[in-house]
Amino acid sequence: KGVAIFVEAAKLVNEKGVEAVFKIAGGAVDHNPNCLSTEDMKSLIQDSPVEWLGKVDDMPSLYAEANLIVYPSYYGEGIPKVLLEAAATGRCIITTDHPGCREAILDGKTGMLVPVKDVEKTAAAMQELLKESVKRNSMGQAARTYAAECFDVNLVVAQTIAVYDKALAS
């Protein structure tokens, strides 16, 4: 979900001399022709500064290590779980101005929105937030607050039940 965009953006950031470690978490899916296979992923990250971790069982630890979460998705989906988890752990997020992704952050407050499939703007946002730790940390704190206020599971369940109750009452 935007892996190629992330890899190319990481290359640009690396070429600018910004010191950072770039990691991709997620296992390959060899049985789905719409997903990257293991060979595709290996080829994509070859000669790049990006490390592919494969399937990660302990995402909380990975979030704890991260300074910034970059998710340049352009696939149709709801609000990606990774963005809600990242926000809940107080991580600043860069994601695309795309349905689902854009609802997970407040642009300029909890993270940054970049245009879909725009490697240069993704790299520029990465570079800015990697260099500006105060801004990045402030956005991460705001992301945590936003996640707690808007995406807490108890709140979402209560809102869902209210929708069902209203539909049943009609």
Side-chain angles (χ1 to χ4, degrees):
K1 299 183 178 185
V3 171
I5 303 301
F6 175 73
V7 171
E8 291 305 310
K11 287 179 185 177
L12 290 177
V13 171
N14 191 54
E15 288 169 7
K16 297 275 187 183
V18 176
E19 289 189 34
V21 176
F22 305 96
K23 296 180 181 183
I24 296 174
V29 181
D30 291 316
H31 61 276
N32 183 339
N34 295 323
C35 295
L36 290 173
S37 67
T38 301
E39 290 308 311
D40 291 336
M41 184 63 87
K42 288 178 180 177
S43 176
L44 190 61
I45 64 169
Q46 186 175 1
D47 300 321
S48 82
V50 177
E51 176 187 0
W52 177 40
L53 304 174
K55 184 178 184 297
V56 174
D57 293 320
D58 186 7
M59 284 301 291
S61 291
L62 188 59
Y63 289 127
E65 292 175 14
N67 288 314
L68 178 64
I69 304 300
V70 181
Y71 190 77
S73 180
Y74 52 87
Y75 291 91
E77 57 188 311
I79 297 178
K81 184 178 177 183
V82 67
L83 296 181
L84 298 179
E85 291 174 346
T89 60
R91 296 300 172 255
C92 178
I93 297 167
I94 296 171
T95 192
T96 51
D97 190 4
H98 190 292
C101 294
R102 74 171 69 104
E103 286 75 23
I105 74 162
L106 301 172
D107 189 29
K109 184 173 180 185
T110 66
M112 296 175 76
L113 290 176
V114 294
V116 172
K117 296 184 181 181
D118 192 325
V119 171
E120 289 78 18
K121 292 234 171 107
T122 302
M126 291 167 65
Q127 184 173 341
E128 178 181 337
L129 291 174
L130 287 168
K131 285 184 169 183
E132 297 184 30
S133 63
V134 172
K135 182 177 186 176
R136 183 182 66 241
N137 292 335
S138 174
M139 286 180 159
Q141 290 172 358
R144 170 78 178 116
T145 300
Y146 183 58
E149 290 175 355
C150 297
F151 300 109
D152 177 85
V153 68
N154 296 315
L155 176 64
V156 172
V157 168
Q159 290 173 341
T160 302
I161 290 172
V163 169
Y164 291 148
D165 287 344
K166 186 176 180 180
L168 288 172
S170 305

